[in-house]
Amino acid sequence: MVYNATQKIIKAHLVKGEMITGSEIAIKIDQTLTQDSTGTMAYIQFEAMGIDKVKTKRSVAYIDHNILQTGPENADDHLYIQTVAKKHGIYFSKPGNGICHQVHLERFGVPGETLLGSDSHTPTGGGIGMIAVGAGGLDVAVAMGGGEYYITMPKIVKVDLVGKLSPWVSAKDIILELLRRLTVKGGVNKIFEYGGDGLKTLSVPERATITNMGAELGATTSIFPSDEITYEFLKAQGRQSDYVELKADKGAVYDEIIRIDLCKIQPLVACPHSPDKVVLVSSLKDMKVDQVLIGSCTNSSYVDMMKVSKILKGKTIPEEISLSIAPGSKQVLSMLSKEGGLSDMIDAGARILESACGPCIGMGQAPSTDAVSLRTFNRNFKGRSGTVSANVYIVSPEVAVASALTGYITDPRELGEAIKVDMPEKFTVNDNLIINPAEDGKDIEVKRGPNIKPFPKAEELKENVQGKVLTKLGDNITTDDIMPSNAKLLPFRSNIPYLSEFCLTPCDENFPSKAKEQGGGIIVAGANYGQGSSREHAALAPLYLGVKAVIAKSFARIHKANLINNAIIPLVFIDVNDYEDISFMDELIIEDVANQIRKGIVIVKNITKGSEYNTLPEVTMREQDMLIFGGLINLMKNKKKDGE
Ligand code: MIC
Ligand code: SF4
């Protein structure tokens, strides 16, 4: 048999099922990662399982999202995560050490292994040859406890990279080109495996930029082979012993093949308010820019930062421009400083931010009213910057810095000869912000601040599900719409009752009050409902408000899994025209719901209109059980009772 790289890893980790596209498989997870905005929930759930020590090869808890400490809440959560990590065998990356995905790539990622992370950009690890998947905190907690992870065996798409990028065109433009071609829905239930002779031209951090933003395609994950370039990267990190070669066999088969001619790609930009609204940078030439932000897990590696510093060297940004830069990790920041790049940035007028997610998740640096903000990040959903009226454009570091210097959207090719920065032969390694877990954690006291509130628990399914349509939403509703995140709300990630007051408010201001008034109900939505983040808060807050089902044209993968884990029924319209028939506040009923789910087709009756809609639950047998027994936790309890 011949296998591609994806199949090789999946086969080596397969616990249940067969590698048949569309069927459910379970894989063993070698490594996990959490970050602080999803981590608290994940560890509360892990603690509830009563397991002393994680059963993975390596689990790491990062603090990188909620680093703005304007009150005790975030710091309390950090302390909780730090102590719970020490007790249960989890490495702890302190605030200041950097963004989880960047640090994981540098210090922990191992080719050929599996990684499950409670963050949707976990696929960054695909840059080093891992099957790295984003999931809700509960799934990560289960994996820490040694449980398998279930996915639908995705289609495997080969992305054949041919040739070499032109000067001033970068890895970011490759993934923007894919987004342009495939859209934010184009990757659902697919893994993108990169290949072709263009591979050898891309370093590990460049590959990671591409796999990182594969999340915006809705993909399960993306992966590059592990080759000489991977070896050089690991060696430079002092980790050559972690190297394993991983390549597709000759003649390996793929479900689809996409070809990208690297020489033909030009600098690209994603326009407001979606990462797939991609156009040529040159087509926006002369658009005035107010703010430029460089960093995030997509573009904050050492080479990215050094390039930016070299372009800024000896220059000054115009007075109307606000430029902020967040190097991705302590390693990057420290090396940038030793090489003199940091002072070139500071001298040019940049504001230097902590190595963390920062403005990418609305933690500070919200732009001014109606501002044009250029960012090297991965998401430009409306309002995510903290300013609803801002227009956020997603670009490469080269485009960002060229525009910061001119004050207008600028094609970097106008800057003349391209700047070249080599990958270092040796990175500065200093892991003093990574705290090892205790050998024996039994005497470690877990510190719980008052902000940590119990999370809502789902209940066993009743005979009928009945309720009003609490809101009717359009296509591509993001988890930022469902459960907004910003400097004001992130401190409450462990307080669902408080957060629920803001649930879906960017789309429908009155949603929380209506849901409460009606004692819960049903959400109706368009295509790709729940795209974006892995935050299970986008399921927990609706659960708290009594939402029982979401009927949509289609769902994004991670959010759908989070809904099922919390026993909110996801239903897909068979005839999309039925969506048009439903109105706000219509009374819907699903009778004998458990049996209908088991049968695989669910009839939703609209009592108000007197009509009926056929819908698909699109769930596996295991997921049917979860919905019926009241979510993953209840299902696990039930299985324990039955001695399974
Ligand atoms: C994001 O980029 O939206 C986040 C913040 O990293 C989320 C995680 C979260 O909501 O806490 C993600 O991508 O999963
Ligand atoms: Fe952090 Fe932004 Fe990356 Fe999410 S996308 S992990 S908020 S840097």
Side-chain angles (χ1 to χ4, degrees):
M1 277 296 269
V2 288
Y3 294 106
N4 55 45
T6 306
Q7 289 166 329
K8 282 186 186 177
I9 303 186
I10 293 182
K11 187 166 168 283
H13 291 81
L14 200 63
V15 184
K16 283 184 194 152
E18 281 177 70
M19 291 197 292
I20 301 168
T21 312
S23 70
E24 187 176 61
I25 55 165
I27 54 170
K28 189 177 160 25
I29 296 299
D30 297 318
Q31 301 193 344
T32 62
L33 73 75
T34 58
Q35 37 85 343
D36 45 338
S37 68
T38 54
T40 315
M41 280 296 158
Y43 294 113
I44 293 174
Q45 285 153 339
F46 177 76
E47 283 189 293
M49 289 174 198
I51 296 166
D52 291 340
K53 205 168 189 167
V54 288
K55 300 214 162 69
T56 45
K57 287 190 189 165
R58 168 103 4 139
S59 287
V60 190
Y62 292 91
I63 306 292
D64 54 359
H65 281 63
N66 302 355
I67 36 74
L68 204 63
Q69 290 156 231
T70 54
E73 294 86 2
N74 286 339
D76 281 359
D77 281 2
H78 299 171
L79 200 58
Y80 166 69
I81 295 175
Q82 180 156 5
T83 49
V84 88
K86 188 148 206 147
K87 188 172 182 75
H88 294 290
I90 300 147
Y91 289 79
F92 178 74
S93 172
K94 289 175 77 174
N97 199 40
I99 306 174
C100 55
H101 309 302
Q102 174 67 24
V103 178
H104 208 85
L105 201 67
E106 292 167 357
R107 307 305 306 140
F108 297 113
V110 175
E113 292 200 348
T114 53
L115 166 68
L116 193 70
S118 64
D119 190 281
S120 65
H121 290 103
T122 305
T124 313
I128 205 166
M130 304 186 86
I131 288 287
V133 182
L138 183 52
D139 285 323
V140 176
V142 170
M144 287 192 283
E148 56 273 5
Y149 177 62
Y150 290 83
I151 42 168
T152 306
M153 180 67 199
K155 280 190 176 165
I156 305 172
V157 181
K158 180 176 183 188
V159 186
D160 204 8
L161 302 176
V162 187
K164 190 171 174 277
L165 291 171
S166 313
W168 292 109
V169 183
S170 80
K172 183 65 155 278
D173 300 309
I174 301 178
I175 188 66
L176 287 175
E177 168 64 12
L178 262 183
L179 275 153
R180 189 187 69 78
R181 291 195 202 176
L182 304 180
T183 81
V184 289
K185 302 194 273 286
V188 179
N189 289 330
K190 291 180 182 171
I191 292 183
F192 290 82
E193 180 175 318
Y194 289 81
D197 70 356
L199 281 182
K200 59 179 186 303
T201 66
L202 297 170
S203 68
V204 167
E206 287 175 305
R207 295 172 178 190
T209 294
I210 296 169
T211 59
N212 171 284
M213 245 187 120
E216 274 52 68
L217 292 165
T220 304
T221 192
S222 306
I223 185 170
F224 275 77
S226 169
D227 54 14
E228 323 67 65
I229 289 172
T230 322
Y231 175 76
E232 288 306 323
F233 177 79
L234 283 166
K235 187 162 154 240
Q237 291 285 354
R239 299 205 289 125
Q240 56 271 44
S241 58
D242 284 336
Y243 176 71
V244 182
E245 190 191 60
L246 175 76
K247 280 184 184 155
D249 290 328
K250 262 216 174 80
V253 180
Y254 295 86
D255 294 297
E256 283 168 39
I257 298 182
I258 296 174
R259 190 185 140 106
I260 298 189
D261 200 340
L262 298 180
C263 341
K264 292 209 176 120
I265 298 186
Q266 300 191 43
L268 295 170
V269 46
C271 300
H273 300 283
S274 181
D276 59 0
K277 288 190 150 185
V278 176
V279 299
L280 288 174
V281 168
S282 52
S283 72
L284 298 184
K285 193 173 152 58
D286 297 337
M287 179 187 279
K288 177 133 179 36
V289 176
D290 303 289
Q291 182 191 48
V292 177
L293 299 178
I294 301 175
S296 93
C297 56
T298 321
N299 276 119
S300 59
S301 68
Y302 167 80
V303 171
D304 278 342
M305 291 291 149
M306 276 309 285
K307 258 192 215 157
V308 167
S309 73
K310 288 194 177 200
I311 299 168
L312 288 175
K313 192 179 170 73
K315 307 200 174 86
T316 291
I317 54 165
E319 60 184 62
E320 321 73 60
I321 286 279
S322 167
L323 168 67
S324 299
I325 304 176
S329 67
K330 172 183 174 233
Q331 180 181 78
V332 172
L333 181 57
S334 158
M335 289 178 70
L336 195 63
S337 147
K338 286 194 190 113
E339 306 281 331
L342 191 59
S343 47
D344 291 332
M345 290 173 170
I346 297 169
D347 290 345
R351 300 161 67 180
I352 307 299
L353 306 179
E354 189 172 0
S355 292
C357 302
C360 179
I361 188 61
M363 285 301 239
Q365 309 281 317
S368 57
T369 306
D370 299 334
V372 168
S373 175
L374 249 60
R375 301 170 169 219
T376 66
F377 307 168
N378 45 37
R379 291 186 173 145
N380 57 347
F381 305 144
K382 194 173 172 66
R384 185 174 157 101
S385 66
T387 302
V388 180
S389 68
N391 286 309
V392 176
Y393 293 80
I394 301 288
V395 293
S396 68
E398 289 83 344
V399 174
V401 70
S403 309
L405 284 171
T406 59
Y408 295 87
I409 293 191
T410 302
D411 187 324
R413 291 173 296 188
E414 287 175 20
L415 295 184
E417 207 179 310
I419 300 280
K420 198 170 154 10
V421 175
D422 291 325
M423 279 291 283
E425 274 172 30
K426 222 173 158 2
F427 288 95
T428 304
V429 175
N430 175 354
D431 288 333
N432 61 357
L433 288 183
I434 297 174
I435 313 296
N436 290 349
E439 275 296 317
D440 176 358
K442 75 173 177 307
D443 294 329
I444 307 275
E445 186 206 339
V446 176
K447 303 218 166 95
R448 271 167 250 274
N451 188 40
I452 301 180
K453 299 275 185 283
F455 55 92
K457 308 268 181 330
E459 287 169 9
E460 225 172 281
L461 211 54
K462 304 241 170 28
E463 195 185 338
N464 297 339
V465 163
Q466 183 164 359
K468 291 241 157 76
V469 174
L470 298 171
T471 187
K472 189 174 169 188
L473 307 159
D475 289 347
N476 295 321
I477 295 297
T478 72
T479 47
D480 281 292
D481 294 324
I482 307 170
M483 199 55 265
S485 268
N486 53 42
K488 289 190 194 101
L489 290 183
L490 271 170
F492 298 99
R493 277 295 180 95
S494 15
N495 186 343
I496 301 293
Y498 181 79
L499 277 188
S500 69
E501 300 289 332
F502 302 87
C503 182
L504 272 168
T505 49
C507 309
D508 181 349
E509 233 185 300
N510 302 318
F511 178 78
S513 55
K514 258 180 310 184
K516 279 192 195 153
E517 223 170 78
Q518 296 298 326
I522 294 169
I523 292 173
V524 172
N528 201 25
Y529 179 72
Q531 69 159 326
S533 150
S534 68
R535 62 188 74 145
E536 56 197 349
H537 307 73
L540 288 168
L543 175 68
Y544 181 80
L545 293 171
V547 172
K548 298 184 183 74
V550 182
I551 314 174
K553 292 184 187 166
S554 67
F555 288 87
R557 181 187 68 87
I558 307 180
H559 183 61
K560 183 175 156 203
N562 285 336
L563 288 175
I564 298 169
N565 281 349
N566 291 291
I568 298 177
I569 311 167
L571 295 171
V572 177
F573 289 107
I574 294 181
D575 180 354
V576 287
N577 295 321
D578 287 342
Y579 168 88
E580 307 300 336
D581 189 58
I582 304 187
S583 312
F584 169 58
M585 280 296 154
D586 280 358
E587 178 86 14
L588 306 182
I589 183 164
I590 309 166
E591 289 159 337
D592 193 14
V593 59
N595 271 326
Q596 293 212 66
I597 290 175
R598 291 267 187 241
K599 281 199 204 120
I601 181 152
V602 171
I603 299 169
V604 180
K605 291 187 178 161
N606 188 332
I607 299 175
T608 314
K609 298 253 166 67
S611 34
E612 279 186 12
Y613 318 117
N614 289 335
T615 65
L616 292 175
E618 286 189 348
V619 285
T620 63
M621 294 273 277
R622 194 182 127 269
E623 291 172 331
Q624 292 179 2
D625 287 346
M626 265 197 264
L627 291 175
I628 292 164
F629 284 104
L632 180 54
I633 295 179
N634 285 334
L635 180 66
M636 280 163 56
K637 277 194 201 140
N638 250 286
K639 284 201 166 156
K640 248 193 204 152
K641 254 198 331 222
D642 297 348
E644 256 187 61

